[in-house]
Amino acid sequence: MVFRYAVGGFGLVVMAFGGFLLVREPEPWRIAGWLAGGVLVHDGLVAPLVIAVAAVAAAAGLRLRGVARAALIVAGSLTVIALPPLLRPGGVANATVLPLDYSRNWLLAMATLAVLTAGYVAARAGVRRVARRRAAKPQG
């Protein structure tokens, strides 16, 4: 319980520091707009998608609902973080501002997430299979 209060207190200190930095900005409404946009994207896109996939998985009787939700949450978070460079208009005047191929890198991150998720699911299924075989084996 003490640890929970310590983490909560640390969170409050970090939030207060962030609020202090926000107020010191010359145009705090621009940052507040981005923060509000993040909440809207999460509540309007990411959360409903995760809920829909979880509902479909539950209706299909899949036992790996938590894994699918976790992968979708990570994919949604990566997508929200990658949106500014992905949606940037055309080229930029200074080539060093956004020098990477962000679309390709985002696709690579999504593919890596899919491979890691599939690997985790396969490993978990293998462990369960071995455990079932050991449990079914007659003790001698």
Side-chain angles (χ1 to χ4, degrees):
M1 194 65 153
V2 172
F3 179 73
R4 184 179 292 183
Y5 285 128
V7 170
F10 179 71
L12 289 173
V13 168
V14 171
M15 285 174 47
F17 182 66
F20 170 74
L21 292 178
L22 179 64
V23 171
R24 290 187 58 211
E25 283 293 315
E27 297 177 348
W29 59 87
R30 295 180 74 187
I31 296 171
W34 269 103
L35 293 174
V39 170
L40 290 174
V41 167
H42 175 271
D43 291 353
L45 182 67
V46 176
L49 179 64
V50 170
I51 291 169
V53 169
V56 168
L62 295 176
R63 293 172 38 180
L64 301 174
R65 293 184 299 262
V67 175
R69 274 193 299 244
L72 281 172
I73 289 168
V74 171
S77 299
L78 286 173
T79 301
V80 168
I81 291 169
L83 275 179
L86 289 175
L87 298 177
R88 74 174 186 259
V92 291
N94 183 351
T96 62
V97 172
L98 295 172
L100 303 175
D101 185 356
Y102 292 96
S103 300
R104 182 203 60 185
N105 293 343
W106 177 79
L107 287 171
L108 287 172
M110 292 298 114
T112 302
L113 177 62
V115 167
L116 289 174
T117 302
Y120 175 79
V121 169
R124 195 164 115 175
V127 167
R128 285 186 177 164
R129 193 175 309 120
V130 168
R132 271 189 253 126
R133 284 183 190 159
R134 286 185 180 164
K137 205 180 228 184
Q139 302 295 326

